[in-house]
Amino acid sequence: MRVLAILIFLLISTNLKGQLSGCVYDKATKEQLSYVNIWYFNEEETSGTTAKKNGHFNFNELDTTRFLSFNKAGYEILKVRPDSNVYDVYLSRLNESTNQLSQPANGPRRVGIGFDFKNATSYASLSITKSDPVIYAQYFSTGDYHSYKIEKINVSLSSRINSLINIRIYEATEDLKPGNLLDFKDILRKIKVGKESHTIRMEDLNIRISKNGFFVGIEKLIIEQNMISLNETDFNNNQKVEVNEYYPSINLFPTESSNLLYAYIKGEWMKLDNSKISLGINIDLKR
């Protein structure tokens, strides 16, 4: 019996070292969900990926000490601990709350808020070389323009390949953290090579903003379409190593005052301190 128990343990251990793969579905319709960002983590290690267009995902190994966290616009965040090598996931759709804010009676018909590109003197590009998805979000105060509708968003992004980005709009909570999503579907946009200023039209979403303000999030997608493989020199041993870069790059602009920035990693929002930078986002509001 002792030998049998050891053999069973070894078989289970061997199985747990295999790949972890699965597919993400809509719980109600059973449709496959595309471009779901997934974090695979415990206290010591974090990795991540983005589900493919057909909803499939995989990791190199199954580690039962890690959690999986699934995040997609319009769906409840799901956090689970996988217990098998094939792990299909079903996400529940959120109840869409209608934007009940009425059109303001007074004020200019249109107004622009956010970063002033005309006075920008320099910027740095932030590219991701680790295969971890992330959402960077910046807060925007509405001042006297609450209840205005978001007409379009202008964002500065750079890319060495034709790539794909997802934009998210969050309501700001009372303590100025990213709260509920104001858009209940992915706002996917293609980013073309050589173009840095990108306009995303938003009128059809009919998003009106509250007095607390809002966050604009830029969601990086870890998909093959966004990846370039490069051979770089490891200066520790002078050997060539393959590095994957994921585009587009987010252009960061220095500012005199601090901005309120958050990053969504491992299923949680983390505040970025001493953020005298801007994500290079300008928003046009319409009364």
Side-chain angles (χ1 to χ4, degrees), residues 124-137:
S125 291
L126 174 64
S127 61
I128 292 182
T129 54
K130 291 180 65 180
S131 58
D132 294 343
V134 63
I135 304 171
Y136 292 105

Side-chain angles (χ1 to χ4, degrees), residues 164-177:
L164 197 65
I165 200 77
N166 196 17
I167 301 297
R168 294 194 174 196
I169 313 296
Y170 299 91
E171 183 180 28
T173 62
E174 291 287 343
D175 53 353
L176 301 185
K177 295 179 180 178

